[in-house]
Amino acid sequence: QLIDDTTLATKTKAALLESAKASGTSLNVEVHKGKVLVGGFVDNAEAHKAALAAAGKAAGGSANVIDGIVVVAGGRTPGQT
């Protein structure tokens, strides 16, 4: 079943927000021709893994997810680069 990119982006973002371990508010989702790019910063490897799992489930498999997530140990403060 094919769904459009806008629907897929919404579905993926919702899955990230619903995940208890993935920080959906600090991750960006872009979709192009069914491929989902998830990018942003997370605090630890567990959050990274949870985000990719949530995105993969929403996108119909991990093969459709491009990992742009960076783990920053200790977290980040607003405005920090």
Side-chain angles (χ1 to χ4, degrees):
Q1 177 184 17
L2 294 175
I3 58 175
D4 66 48
D5 288 350
T6 303
T7 302
L8 184 54
T10 302
K11 185 176 175 182
T12 303
K13 190 66 175 179
L16 290 170
L17 290 170
E18 289 174 5
S19 173
K21 295 179 182 174
S23 180
T25 59
S26 66
L27 295 173
N28 298 309
V29 174
E30 297 288 334
V31 180
H32 181 68
K33 295 184 180 179
K35 294 291 182 181
V36 178
L37 169 64
V38 180
F41 298 94
V42 295
D43 294 337
N44 54 55
E46 185 177 14
H48 181 215
K49 184 177 178 181
L52 291 179
K57 186 175 179 182
S62 60
N64 296 322
V65 178
I66 301 167
D67 181 6
I69 300 171
V70 177
V71 176
V72 179
R76 292 174 29 125
T77 58
Q80 181 181 359
T81 58

